[in-house]
């Protein structure tokens, strides 16, 4: 069975830069439907930018992002909002609306996009909260939640409309080991039971390797390696090895580019 | 040469910012308003922007009116025309002080809060999150706040003026012993509804528009870090104060001057 | 419940704003509802208007019955022409009424005083008051006084 028989997102020749600095140049990425795809790479390589490009919040300089043959950068404002109804995004900080309770946060996308009666919305919200294990917290305000709980509520909100694509922006960063384990299980479990496509952006190697079906490794504005977790472990390239094993020095240097060390020191003494 | 280039770049930056703010204004207000969805949000924002500013407005209005009464009396009594103190208090409040001072207080109390709130929403990715849910943050977050500021400032200015006039009346009539009949009669003879009250309200409406525009834009356009938010909040207060004072001169020249 | 308190306070706030506006209109600017809008226009020519300005009041026996709306120069007769708006319910000014510019106190504001004549016909909109008396100008008065002293 080939993973890429059924592709939901097809990114072709994508280029994007921020000021002078290129973030992506001519990148091709295919995301298989119904699987968990991870985008990995060191910090500052613009992984989050990729999610924003897919969501249409940023426009690339060139290239196309096809979601089921609809090219996101060329969509009109109205079509863009329509296609976003098919996406759920879990932001790094959770991004819960601070002026609403947990229940209202999860109900928000339903209220905006559907005309469901109130008792039905209530049922759906409680089901989604049950799925992330926080049904009991539905009356709390976001400020009363811990970081891990806030992220789970945000996850419940992201899946409240049963989207086709769920994007996770650094879901594991800054979590204690228990919360991290809970999230890893949730992502895998939800992906299997709801059948949506998951895209995870992360630099937490072990957790991501554990759940991803396919991995893209990004560095220096391009994809340096891709494959299943097993394939990636076998890759010999020093850059990939450095990242996969978390070595402190290698092709990605420990030192920020600087002049000669001894010269610098001597100059200061004069 | 470098300085000149720097000046040019600063000018271009300002121009670009003005362009962005106009876009925000257009998209949040003019393009497809949704009054039904917005109404509860608007009520909420009028509460935050207007009702919560009421205390500071009433207290400052009262004191400014009392000070005007006292000062007016001590000046006018030298010319034997202390009866005109009512006219002086009312005219200066209705034409100038009510709209201007209200707008300045409003920028400090509500404008800065608006900027900080929107900036924080941006920093915590709530605005992006709205966009990804498929809701335009300009319409959901910006538009109701904008309308609320626009509605509240004239109301606050009217309350400021009336409280100030009664503050002046308390001082002049009860403390300084001016005959209350002549106090009110002089005032009513000299204050014209169309010329003075309506013009004062027009000023307040213009200031409400400008101050909320600046506040909302600074919040929406700020750098999403704690430093950026604090800078944006300062900018809101500084820019709106400058805008209010300079616009006040222009409006006064158009309304009351013989231009 | 929280929303309810919110709505009530916002309602009270807007009500307070409207009340303040009504206060400004009635109490401060002395706008009265009864005859607002219902006025007619009368003109008068004066040799010298002294310090009369638009918005000065027009009185009859000390009662305010209208206001001056405009002052311009009559280019035919080369005198000042004053436009007055008289309240609609004061419709009994005879055509031989006289208008004079008076001063409230020694240094007070100028206003127009109208005294009614004996004719049966009344002034209508656009009519002129023919019998007018210009403002007393202090310098003229002093001059006249000196002239009289010398001529005696």
């Amino acid at each position: 069975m080939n993973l890429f028989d059924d592709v939901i997102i097809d990114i072709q020749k994508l280029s994007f830069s921020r000021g002078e600095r290129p973030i992506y140049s001519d990148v091709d990425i295919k995301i298989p439907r119904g699987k968990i795809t991870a985008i990995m790479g060191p910090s500052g390589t613009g992984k989050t930018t990729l999610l924003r490009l897919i969501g249409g919040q940023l426009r690339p300089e060139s290239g196309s992002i096809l979601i089921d043959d609809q090219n996101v950068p060329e969509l009109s404002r109205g079509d863009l909002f329509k296609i976003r109804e098919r996406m759920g995004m879990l932001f790094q900080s959770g991004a819960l609306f601070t002026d609403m309770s947990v229940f209202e946060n999860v109900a928000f996308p339903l209220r905006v996009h559907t005309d469901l009666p109130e008792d039905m919305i209530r049922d759906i919200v409680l089901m989604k909260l049950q799925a992330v294990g926080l049904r009991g917290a539905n009356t709390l305000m976001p400020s009363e939640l811990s970081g891990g709980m806030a992220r789970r509520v945000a996850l419940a909100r992201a899946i409240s409309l049963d989207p086709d694509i769920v994007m996770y922006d650094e879901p594991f960063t800054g979590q204690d080991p228990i919360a991290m384990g809970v999230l890893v299980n949730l992502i895998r479990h939800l992906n299997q039971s709801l059948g949506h496509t998951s895209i995870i952006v992360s630099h937490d190697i072990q957790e991501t390797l554990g759940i991803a079906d396919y991995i893209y490794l990004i560095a220096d504005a391009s994809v340096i390696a891709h494959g299943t977790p097993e394939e990636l472990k076998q890759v010999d390239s020093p850059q990939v090895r450095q990242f996969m094993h978390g070595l402190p020095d290698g092709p990605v240097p420990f030192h920020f580019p600087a002049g000669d060390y001894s010269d610098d020191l001597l100059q200061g003494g004069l | 040469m470098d300085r000149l280039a720097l000046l040019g770049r600063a000018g271009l930056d300002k121009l670009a910012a003005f362009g962005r703010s106009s876009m925000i204004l257009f998209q949040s207000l003019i393009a497809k308003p949704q009054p039904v969805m917005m109404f509860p949000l608007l009520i909420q924002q009028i509460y935050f922007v207007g009702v919560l500013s009421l205390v500071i407005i009433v207290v400052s209005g009262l004191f400014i009116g009392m000070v005007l009464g006292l000062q007016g009396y001590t000046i006018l009594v030298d010319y034997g025309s202390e009866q005109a103190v009512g006219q002086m208090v009312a005219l200066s409040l209705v034409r100038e002080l009510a709209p201007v001072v209200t707008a300045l207080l409003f920028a400090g109390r509500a404008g800065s809060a608006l900027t900080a709130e929107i900036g924080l929403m941006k920093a915590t990715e709530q605005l992006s999150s709205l966009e990804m849910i498929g809701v335009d943050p300009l319409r959901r977050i910006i538009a109701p706040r904008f309308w609320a500021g626009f509605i509240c400032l004239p109301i606050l200015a009217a309350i400021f003026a009336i409280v100030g006039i009664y503050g002046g009346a308390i001082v002049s009539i009860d403390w300084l012993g001016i005959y209350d009949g002549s106090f009110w009669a002089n005032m009513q003879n000299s204050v014209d509804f169309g010329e003075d009250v309506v013009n004062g309200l027009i000023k307040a409406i213009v200031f409400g528009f400008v101050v909320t525009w600046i506040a909302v834009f600074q919040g929406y356009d700020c750098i999403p870090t704690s430093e950026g938010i604090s800078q944006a909040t300062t900018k809101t207060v500084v820019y709106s104060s400058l805008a209010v004072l300079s616009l006040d001169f222009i409006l006064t020249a158009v309304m009351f001057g013989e231009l | 419940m929280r929303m309810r308190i919110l709505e009530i306070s916002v309602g009270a706030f807007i009500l307070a704003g409207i009340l303040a506006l009504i206060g400004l209109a009635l109490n401060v600017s002395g706008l009265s509802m009864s005859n607002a809008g219902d006025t007619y226009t009368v003109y008068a020519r004066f040799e010298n208007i002294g310090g009369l300005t638009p918005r000065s009041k027009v009185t009859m026996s000390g009662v305010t019955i209208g206001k001056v709306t405009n002052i311009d120069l009559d280019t035919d007769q080369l005198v000042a022409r004053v436009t007055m708006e008289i309240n609609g319910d004061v419709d009994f000014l005879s055509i031989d009424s006289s208008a004079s510019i008076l001063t409230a106190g020694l240094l007070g504001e100028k206003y127009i005083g109208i005294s009614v004549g004996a004719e049966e016909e009344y002034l209508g909109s656009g009519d002129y008051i023919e019998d007018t008396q210009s403002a007393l100008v202090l310098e003229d008065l002093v001059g006249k006084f000196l002239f009289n002293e010398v001529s005696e």
Side-chain angles (χ1 to χ4, degrees):
Chain A
M1 188 201 92
N2 192 341
L3 269 176
F4 293 101
D5 285 344
D6 190 5
V7 171
I8 184 160
I9 301 177
D10 190 356
I11 298 172
Q12 292 164 353
K13 299 243 176 284
L14 177 76
S15 292
F16 183 82
S17 58
R18 198 154 263 171
E20 301 286 297
R21 202 164 67 94
I23 305 285
Y24 293 108
S25 56
D26 278 349
V27 169
D28 296 306
I29 291 174
K30 286 188 194 333
I31 311 262
R33 191 187 305 274
K35 301 289 177 196
I36 301 178
T37 305
I39 315 284
M40 305 190 70
S43 314
T45 48
K47 303 184 298 292
T48 306
T49 307
L50 184 71
L51 295 187
R52 284 174 187 263
L53 284 164
I54 294 174
Q57 289 184 311
L58 297 171
R59 259 164 218 273
E61 273 141 36
S62 64
S64 54
I65 300 166
L66 298 171
I67 300 181
D68 283 336
D69 297 326
Q70 274 184 296
N71 191 3
V72 174
E74 284 171 7
L75 289 179
S76 69
R77 216 177 150 75
D79 287 338
L80 199 59
F81 280 119
K82 208 165 286 167
I83 204 163
R84 280 184 192 154
E85 289 176 33
R86 296 179 48 200
M87 301 180 197
M89 182 148 167
L90 180 69
F91 285 87
Q92 195 167 349
S93 57
L96 293 178
F97 304 127
T98 39
D99 55 344
M100 299 179 191
S101 68
V102 165
F103 180 92
E104 285 303 319
N105 259 288
V106 180
F108 182 77
L110 295 165
R111 291 196 202 286
V112 174
H113 289 300
T114 66
D115 291 324
L116 294 176
E118 190 54 39
D119 50 345
M120 209 149 159
I121 288 184
R122 198 186 118 82
D123 289 350
I124 297 176
V125 171
L126 291 181
M127 275 161 61
K128 300 292 176 190
L129 280 172
Q130 174 75 10
V132 297
L134 289 174
R135 187 168 46 87
N138 74 77
T139 53
L140 296 182
M141 293 302 281
S143 53
E144 298 168 294
L145 301 175
S146 72
M149 279 155 78
R151 236 171 264 196
R152 275 146 72 191
V153 174
L155 181 54
R157 185 181 67 186
I159 60 172
S160 65
L161 280 175
D162 289 323
D164 299 336
I165 303 163
V166 180
M167 298 189 271
Y168 301 87
D169 185 6
E170 304 281 8
F172 309 121
T173 316
Q175 299 290 323
D176 64 68
I178 302 171
M180 198 125 90
V182 169
L183 272 169
V184 169
N185 274 328
L186 256 180
I187 293 173
R188 182 168 30 205
H189 176 73
L190 288 175
N191 191 73
Q192 280 164 3
S193 57
L194 300 176
H196 52 238
T197 305
S198 303
I199 306 171
I200 300 175
V201 153
S202 177
H203 49 233
D204 292 287
I205 306 153
Q206 292 316 319
E207 289 73 23
T208 316
L209 283 181
I211 54 172
D213 294 307
Y214 203 78
I215 295 174
Y216 284 90
L217 213 55
I218 291 177
D220 301 333
S222 54
V223 175
I224 54 168
H226 56 95
T228 60
E230 285 69 35
E231 284 167 4
L232 275 195
K233 282 178 191 156
Q234 312 302 322
V235 173
D236 247 359
S237 141
Q239 221 177 348
V240 178
R241 278 173 53 96
Q242 187 197 356
F243 183 75
M244 298 294 285
H245 299 283
L247 304 175
D249 211 352
V252 177
F254 167 68
H255 290 291
F256 193 80
D260 190 70
Y261 189 33
S262 52
D263 281 358
D264 227 5
L265 285 179
L266 285 173
Q267 241 173 22
L270 287 176
Chain B
M1 219 37 204
D2 273 358
R3 294 237 173 113
L4 204 64
L6 217 62
L7 192 71
R9 191 171 308 152
L12 281 178
D13 280 352
K14 288 275 174 292
L15 207 64
F18 186 72
R20 285 201 303 280
S21 64
S22 309
M23 292 265 290
I24 287 172
L25 186 69
F26 179 79
Q27 286 181 353
S28 54
L29 299 190
I30 297 151
K32 277 204 254 168
Q34 294 165 312
V36 180
M37 189 192 90
M38 229 177 71
F39 191 71
L41 295 173
L42 184 63
I43 295 285
Q44 211 173 357
Q45 289 311 317
I46 290 180
Y47 177 79
F48 285 124
V49 167
V51 178
L52 295 184
S53 307
L54 204 54
V55 174
I56 189 175
I57 293 294
V58 167
V59 171
S60 1
L62 189 68
F63 279 115
I64 285 184
M66 288 165 82
V67 167
L68 279 178
L70 266 176
Q71 289 281 17
Y73 181 83
T74 51
I75 294 167
L76 291 172
V77 79
D78 288 347
Y79 303 97
S81 43
E82 67 268 21
Q83 310 296 332
V85 72
Q87 161 181 1
M88 201 203 89
V89 169
L91 277 183
S92 43
L93 270 172
V94 168
R95 283 187 181 175
E96 281 300 325
L97 290 174
V100 172
V101 177
T102 308
L104 294 179
L105 292 173
F106 184 81
R109 168 67 183 76
S112 58
L114 276 181
T115 306
E117 189 194 12
I118 295 174
L120 203 65
M121 281 188 177
K122 186 175 182 183
T124 54
E125 296 176 309
Q126 290 184 49
L127 294 184
S128 295
S129 164
L130 270 177
E131 258 181 45
M132 285 307 297
I133 289 173
V135 174
D136 190 344
L138 287 176
R139 270 182 228 150
R140 171 89 195 180
I141 302 291
I142 307 295
R145 283 168 177 72
F146 197 95
W147 285 117
F150 195 56
I151 292 169
C152 285
L153 195 46
I155 293 179
L156 289 172
I159 293 174
F160 185 98
I162 203 90
V163 169
I165 286 167
Y166 276 96
I170 290 170
V171 169
S172 332
I173 296 169
D174 295 345
W175 298 1
L176 301 172
I178 292 174
Y179 175 55
D180 66 338
S182 56
F183 179 89
W184 293 111
N186 259 326
M187 182 189 298
Q188 289 173 0
N189 275 336
S190 57
V191 178
D192 184 82
F193 184 74
E195 199 108 320
D196 299 317
V197 177
V198 171
N199 274 349
L201 278 182
I202 291 174
K203 275 187 182 179
I205 291 171
V206 173
F207 295 159
F209 181 80
V210 171
V211 171
T212 16
W213 186 13
I214 292 175
V216 158
F217 170 71
Q218 289 297 342
Y220 192 75
D221 203 52
C222 78
I223 302 156
T225 59
S226 38
E227 218 178 8
I229 295 171
S230 75
Q231 273 175 6
T233 313
T234 313
K235 272 188 195 164
T236 295
V237 176
V238 173
Y239 288 176
S240 28
S241 306
L242 290 178
V244 163
L245 293 173
S246 52
L247 270 175
D248 181 51
F249 174 72
I250 296 170
L251 287 173
T252 308
V254 172
M255 287 170 175
F256 301 107
E258 302 289 327
L259 281 180
Chain C
M1 194 55 210
R2 195 171 142 268
M3 196 67 197
R4 186 111 191 95
I5 295 169
L6 218 96
E7 275 168 3
I8 290 170
S9 61
V10 167
F13 171 67
I14 291 180
L15 195 72
I18 293 170
L19 283 180
L21 193 63
I22 293 174
L24 282 178
L26 298 184
N27 235 345
V28 177
S29 64
L31 193 76
S32 58
M33 294 295 181
S34 57
N35 51 19
D38 180 23
T39 58
Y40 65 99
T41 310
V42 171
Y43 302 97
R45 295 192 187 88
F46 291 94
E47 293 269 333
N48 192 330
I49 55 161
L52 192 75
T53 54
R55 286 175 57 194
S56 301
K57 56 188 175 180
V58 177
T59 64
M60 194 176 125
S61 310
V63 180
T64 304
I65 57 167
K67 63 177 180 182
V68 173
T69 54
N70 192 28
I71 297 172
D72 52 3
L73 212 52
D74 188 330
T75 43
D76 292 336
Q77 306 189 11
L78 297 178
V79 289
R81 191 180 67 160
V82 174
T83 313
M84 290 169 267
E85 272 184 2
I86 310 292
N87 295 342
D89 52 354
V90 185
D91 54 359
F92 41 77
L93 302 177
S94 60
I95 51 167
D96 62 344
S97 296
S98 70
S100 38
I101 296 176
L102 305 171
T103 311
L106 193 58
L107 296 168
E109 51 173 331
K110 300 276 196 246
Y111 65 97
I112 291 183
I114 291 181
S115 42
V116 183
E119 286 282 342
E120 294 279 300
E121 250 179 280
Y122 298 129
L123 286 168
S125 191
D127 286 348
Y128 279 79
I129 297 178
E130 301 296 342
D131 182 9
T132 60
Q133 196 179 359
S134 289
L136 274 181
V137 178
L138 214 56
E139 290 90 326
D140 289 355
L141 215 62
V142 171
K144 219 178 271 178
F145 177 70
L146 284 177
F147 185 73
N148 283 349
E149 286 283 277
V150 170
S151 68
E152 258 176 28

